[in-house]
Structure formats: C-alpha cells, structure tokens
Amino acid sequence: MAASLRQMAVGAWRQPQRYPLALQCATRHSRWCLITSRTLYTAEYDPNEKTFEKLLIANRGEIACRVIKTCKKMGIKTVAIYSDIDSSAVHVKMADEAVCVGPAPTSKSYLNMDAIMEAIKKTRAQAVHPGYGFLSENKEFARRLASEGVTFIGPDTHAIQAMGDKIESKLLAKNAKVNTIPGFDGVVKDADEAVRIAREIGYPVMIKASAGGGGKGMRIAWDDEQTREGFRFSSQEAASSFGDDRLLIEKFIDNPRHIEIQVLADKHDNALWLNERECSIQRRNQKVVEEAPSTFLDPETRRAMGEQAVALAKAVKYSSAGTVEFLVDTKKNFYFLEMNTRLQVEHPITECITGLDLVQEMIRVAKGYPLRHKQVDITINGWAVECRVYAEDPYKSFGLPSIGRLSQYQEPLHVSNVSTVDSGIQEGSDISIYYDPMISKLITYGIDRAEALQRMEEALDNYVIRGVTHNIALLREVIIHPHFVQGDVSTKFLPDVYPDGFKGHKLTDLEKRELLAIATSWYVAEQLRSQQFLGSPRIPLAKLDLNNWDLSVQLGNGTYSVTVSNNGSTFSVEVDGMKLNVTSEWNLASPLSSVTIDGTQRTIQCLSRDAAGNVSIQFLGTVYKLRILTKLAAELSKYMPEKAVEDTTSILRSPMPGAVVAVSVKPGDLVSEGQEICVIEAMKMQNSLIAAKSGKVKAVHCKAGETVGEGDLLVELE
C-alpha cells in the first residue's frame, strides 16, 4: 500500500566548567555585556546582593545549562536533575550536584513532582528554576514548593493559574482592556460541541489546549471533519504534554504575524516591557526562526502592545519574566494570544538588544529585590536573530524528528560575532525519542539586521553536525529568502514559500558550476594524496599524468564532463566551457573546508565519500550527492546492474522514530484512500499516517505502545 504522512498541526562528573570572558567591543551593546564561549550575560552584577546559596534546575538540556551559567556568575551553587538516560548529559556535568529522578519517560522523571521534591529535600536547595516546558507553568508544583518553603523562580500560583489557563487568561485580558481574538470563552466538552462552536464562530478556527503552549495540542480546522480530528488529537497531546486535556476554540486569523512582548515585573508593582520578538517563522505552530526587534512594528504600535502587555501583567500581580504573545494582522491590528508565565525559549535575542540577563533578573525578583531599571532605560540596541537547530528532517513536513548519536559536533564559535550557541549537548550525545529534538539555539547579533543575518548565514555554514539529520538547510534558506530579507513574513511563510514542501537550495547555473568545480577539485586532491608514499622512497611502476584529469560527474539527473588541471593548491576546472580557479588548503581530515572560487569564498563540508566515487557535500546549507568517475570508469559503469528500487505500493513504513499510539486496522480489513492506519507520537507530537490508496490489510507489524524506528515496516497490503 502506498501511504502518505499527514501531519496533524504537533553519578557523572560534577566539576564546574569555566568559560573565559572575551574582551569588550566598542559598541554600546558590548559595554553592557560580556560574551563567554557560549552565552551572553549582563555585566551588571553586585556581589554584595545576596540571593540564594543553592538552586535546583527542574529541567534538562540547553535551558538547564543556560540557568547554570548565570548561577555560576552570581555565586549560586546548582543542582541538576536527570533521567537515567541523561546521566552523562552536559547539564549534569556542569552542575555542582545532580540527582536522578527516574527513567526516560517524562512522566516518570522530569514531570515526576514527588521525585523532584525529594531531590530538593536531599540537596537542601533553597530555590527552583523550572526553565521552560515540563513543570514551568504547573501551579501545583509551585504550590508544593511554597508549602516546603522553597522559592519558585517565577510568578506566584495565582498568576500561573490565571495565565496558564487560556480560557481564564482571555477573560482577564478582556477586563484589562487588552485586544482579544473572537472565540468561545469556555471549555469544549466533546467533538460534537467542538463542531457546533466552530460553526458558530465561522471557519477557520484554532483548537488548542487550555493549559498548553509551545505548539503542543494545537490544530487548525477548516471544516467539521478537521474539527473532530483536531479535537481528538489536541486533547490527546494536551493530556500527554500537560496532564490537562481541556480545549478551547477561537477564530483563526489567517495570514497573521506572531509577535510577542517580553515583560519583566517585580513584587513592588514595577513592570517593564522589553520590546518585541518576531516569531512568525513556524512549522506546526512551533517557532523556527526568531528575531528582535520586528521589521513590522512602528514605535506607536510597539508602545501600544507593550503597554497592553504590562497592563495584563499588573492585572494578575505578575512578578518575574514573562511573555505576552499577540497575533498581528496586515493592518497592524493586534490580538492577545496567550501569556507564557516562564522564560521563553527565544529569550536570548531580547538579552542581545537590551543588555539584560533575564535569568539573573528572575532570580533577583524571586528573592524580593525591586527592578533596577525604568521603562525609559529600555531601548533597542542593534539586531539579533535566533535559529532553532533541530534534529529533524526538513524535507518531511518541514521537520520530522530524527534520533541518533552525534558522531561529530562542532559549534561555530570560531566564527566572529556569533553571540551565543545555547546547547545542552556535545559530541557523543544521544538524541532520543523521549525529549524535544532541539540541538541548540544559534544566535547572532549585528548593529543592524543585515549584519545579523550575514553572520547567521556564515554561522550556519560553519556548524558541524553529524550522526543525526538536522534542519540547517531549511534555516539557511529561510534567512536568505527575498521575502524574509524584506521582512515580508507571516505564520504561513513556510507553506506559502514552499507549497510542495521544502526541497533544499535550488542551485543557479553559476552555483552548480561552483559545486562541480569544488567536488572535482576535492576528488583530485584526494587522489593525489593517495598516490603519495610518505617517508618511504618508492619508484612508481608506471609514470602517472598527475596534472590533467578528465572526469564525469553525476549530479541530480544530469551528467557533466569536467576537466581538472592541478597547479599546487589551486585547481583550474573547466565546466560547461567555463573555467574556474579553485583554491584551498585541502585539509581532507577537517570537517570544514574554506574554498575560494575565482575570489568568492565558500565554506563546505564533505560529509562522505567512498571508493565508488560517491560524494556527499554540504554546499550553501544543502547536502548534494554526486558521483565522480574517470571517463573510463564512467563508460564501464554502464554495464553494472542497478539496485532494484523497493516496491512501496503495498507497504507502510514509519516516516520517523517514535511510539505507536494507536493502530486503526487489523489483518483482513478493507481500507480506503485517506483512511487513518495508525498514529505515531514523536517528541510529544502525534502524527496520523493515512492510506494513499484503497486495499486489503495483509499484515500489521506494530501495536500500540511499541517503539518504532524510521523506516520500520508497519502495515502490509495484499
């Protein structure tokens, strides 16, 4: 059976690491900040301002590492928690202490309140920073901490409940004179009621989890059928991710921007808005690329959004860092979406343009100190861009999860002016099915947007990730796309720009020649090296012509004749009648190669090569597969039998690693085109696999609860 995937829119080392500080630059921005090897902090820290002796981070990965770095700066000892498969994780190594809180599934570890409370008692931690996700917006967790006299680094339980519940928060927003989206201000009981409400509001509608965030438990429905399916999947995802399956429905604003306001408030009735973040580049309602500030807002709209965000924060007596999210239409009308009562994933870009360390400010506020700044002090200094680097295959629905071990990993810290790479992994780390597939957050800063984007492009080219599939190709294409460069974006950017799915970079004629020239030069450099006998004088059996090479190269559906001549470290390459000069150090062992082609510098990565002439090269962000042969080998290869292509018309394979949530068929069942076959959950997002044609089920090779890998056989048809 041919089937298609329909994405239903988803006892380690304890020694503290030391991070050398870089010198301050000449910009106003850098006078406020010190840059370490991985992150950016404010220099404004008073060692006499006492906060906590020991703090536990109830999270994992990059956000746990981020919090630990600020704590070290503030002289606070840290405690990490971890699941058994995270025992060698970076955040565990960075912390002063670490406690295992259970096995890999989040419900038994990072969501296990009893185990975390026990860890707090065992280590005598005085405060807990929840990071984002997991228990960061769980009012019961905050209440239990308060009952034990442990400080929660975040708002009080009233604000968490009020803003964490999308239904209650919308009512509060209305009362605070904040613009809201038309919708149903109540809990949707079942699928039938969801359909009735959707019809009353008018399609399209957004179905989303009342207690959720981060794109989990959200679906867009354009008709009754999609509403029923959306209700089912959203409620299941909400229960799995947040332990709360309540849903709400509101009008879906088509083609909007997603712009959010960072707020910061203390316990002394002071509140600030720290400008905006543009978060419109999304897939499955999850952000991919963010920037601060937004190209779209004028000062008046920015101020109006900021003032409404602060009004909402004050209405619930909010005290900590938080984010008020808005949808903004083409006429700059803005509507309250939700408030996240936690640190946001994309907070570093706000830190870049304001010079504030938001983690430090959260800790200060939690201790009871007043804010040190007034609204007049908050300005916009420069531009910052963040790319979320995921272990995902961008060619499948703009990013289906990939798992595996990072066999080689090198962050682009050698690239000048990369502000930070926030990560919680290292070479040898495993990307598992249990947690979010984010590898890192790559942030660049510039005095203006053009500079920040140019630095991001260079950083992506210099990022080495091997062992898992990643989304760097998609990220690079987004930031260089003319619409994005012009600031013409919306939450529909990806499906609008790539209506048939992401296909990678489309080479121009010149870029194709450059790729062919680089690949053949690399091939010849390798051949020349293999013909050398170092340290042992040896007379060759036959005199070889090492200066001219006539090659045949297969790229895509084309075959190209290429002539390469060698002159030291420079190769002269003739492709389609055009000559190009290619120069490099030709360090074949390095994962990165800087190549100059007729004065144009390119950074490439040779990912693989074999004796049959097959080469994979990452060029302009996209991986291209080539086959390079001598003219004689190319002639002889015509006589080689080709490997038969697997007939996939009667089988369904898993497009991603994950857990089987449900199987809807059994042997002997008749299925029709478009019918659901099974549901796979990967990284807490549920994906429905459907039949692309009708047929009779011959065999079912999976069952609910099982774990499957990418490419595993699930169902066969006769």
Side-chain angles (χ1 to χ4, degrees), residues 109-120:
S109 52
Y110 296 105
L111 291 175
N112 187 344
M113 276 191 263
D114 291 337
I116 295 172
M117 294 301 298
E118 185 61 31
I120 294 168

Side-chain angles (χ1 to χ4, degrees), residues 154 327 393 414 545 708:
L327 291 181
D393 186 347
H414 61 286
D545 182 5
V708 296

Side-chain angles (χ1 to χ4, degrees), residues 104-145:
T106 56
S107 61
K108 299 179 180 180
S109 52
Y110 296 105
L111 291 175
N112 187 344
M113 276 191 263
D114 291 337
I116 295 172
M117 294 301 298
E118 185 61 31
I120 294 168
K121 292 179 182 178
K122 178 180 179 181
T123 59
R124 297 183 179 180
Q126 300 168 314
V128 172
H129 197 299
Y132 55 75
F134 294 133
L135 297 173
S136 63
E137 296 177 283
N138 189 299
K139 63 180 181 296
E140 176 61 20
F141 183 55
R143 186 196 63 77
R144 290 185 63 173
L145 291 175

Side-chain angles (χ1 to χ4, degrees), residues 18 25 28 30 63 125 131 202 239 489 553 579 608 651 703:
R18 306 207 179 271
C25 302
R28 179 181 180 187
S30 61
I63 189 58
V489 299
V553 184
K579 287 190 176 182
S608 65
I651 60 174
K703 60 183 179 181

Side-chain angles (χ1 to χ4, degrees), residues 1-2 4 6 670-676 690-695:
M1 173 186 63
S4 65
R6 179 169 66 195
L670 295 176
V671 296
S672 57
E673 181 179 350
Q675 181 177 332
E676 180 179 287
I690 64 172
K693 60 178 291 186
S694 301

Side-chain angles (χ1 to χ4, degrees), residues 251-534:
K251 181 69 176 178
F252 175 64
I253 299 176
D254 199 14
N255 208 38
R257 288 174 180 260
H258 184 133
I259 300 177
E260 60 190 27
I261 300 291
Q262 176 72 57
V263 295
L264 182 64
D266 62 20
K267 301 178 187 296
H268 306 277
D269 201 34
N270 301 309
L272 305 172
W273 49 275
L274 307 180
N275 301 309
E276 79 279 5
R277 295 186 289 257
E278 173 72 72
C279 306
S280 297
I281 308 299
Q282 305 178 3
R283 49 89 178 108
R284 300 190 300 279
N285 300 308
Q286 290 183 307
K287 303 158 189 172
V288 179
V289 178
E290 301 103 338
E291 60 182 312
S294 169
T295 61
F296 190 61
L297 297 190
D298 53 60
E300 291 74 21
T301 307
R302 177 178 295 114
R303 184 182 305 107
M305 293 176 69
E307 290 174 350
Q308 286 198 17
V310 166
L312 181 59
K314 288 188 173 183
V316 293
K317 294 180 171 53
Y318 194 85
S319 59
S320 190
T323 297
V324 181
E325 300 187 348
F326 293 94
L327 291 181
V328 185
D329 66 20
T330 55
K331 296 181 180 179
K332 298 184 180 178
N333 298 310
F334 56 91
Y335 305 94
F336 170 71
L337 184 61
E338 64 183 8
M339 183 176 188
N340 293 314
T341 57
R342 54 170 167 80
L343 192 65
Q344 204 80 328
V345 176
E346 58 275 12
H347 75 274
I349 55 177
T350 294
E351 294 179 321
C352 284
I353 67 167
T354 62
L356 298 179
D357 181 338
L358 292 180
V359 174
Q360 178 183 339
E361 297 300 328
M362 292 178 75
I363 294 173
R364 289 186 70 259
V365 167
K367 188 61 176 177
Y369 291 110
L371 298 181
R372 298 174 294 177
H373 304 89
K374 304 295 183 183
Q375 190 63 57
V376 69
D377 301 325
I378 307 302
T379 57
I380 297 175
N381 298 285
W383 211 285
V385 178
E386 174 180 288
C387 284
R388 299 192 189 187
V389 181
Y390 282 103
E392 291 182 338
D393 186 347
Y395 300 95
K396 296 179 179 179
S397 299
F398 300 112
L400 292 185
S402 170
I403 62 172
R405 176 165 294 175
L406 291 167
S407 58
Q408 194 167 16
Y409 183 73
Q410 180 177 306
E411 295 173 347
L413 299 174
H414 61 286
V415 177
S416 62
N417 298 314
V418 171
S419 292
T420 170
V421 182
D422 276 359
S423 66
I425 49 89
Q426 60 188 356
E427 192 165 291
S429 293
D430 288 314
I431 307 296
S432 76
I433 65 171
Y434 296 104
Y435 311 119
D436 189 271
M438 181 188 290
I439 294 173
S440 73
K441 301 178 312 195
L442 177 60
I443 299 102
T444 57
Y445 173 84
I447 58 173
D448 56 26
R449 188 170 187 259
E451 184 177 39
L453 290 177
Q454 188 277 325
R455 290 173 177 173
M456 180 61 74
E457 184 179 345
E458 183 180 0
L460 290 170
D461 284 342
N462 283 271
Y463 208 147
V464 178
I465 303 172
R466 310 283 171 82
V468 297
T469 305
H470 54 75
N471 68 333
I472 281 180
L474 175 63
L475 296 173
R476 194 183 189 280
E477 285 303 292
V478 167
I479 65 167
I480 67 171
H481 194 279
H483 288 335
F484 182 85
V485 173
Q486 294 165 12
D488 181 14
V489 299
S490 75
T491 56
K492 295 175 64 178
F493 179 89
L494 290 178
D496 283 351
V497 171
Y498 308 107
D500 299 321
F502 180 67
K503 306 296 183 183
H505 182 72
K506 185 177 181 180
L507 295 169
T508 64
D509 289 342
L510 177 58
E511 289 170 346
K512 184 183 295 183
R513 294 188 187 99
E514 288 181 351
L515 174 58
L516 292 170
I518 291 171
T520 51
S521 296
W522 185 281
Y523 172 86
V524 171
E526 185 179 33
Q527 294 298 313
L528 291 173
R529 186 185 68 171
S530 68
Q531 294 170 4
Q532 295 177 356
F533 296 91
L534 302 179

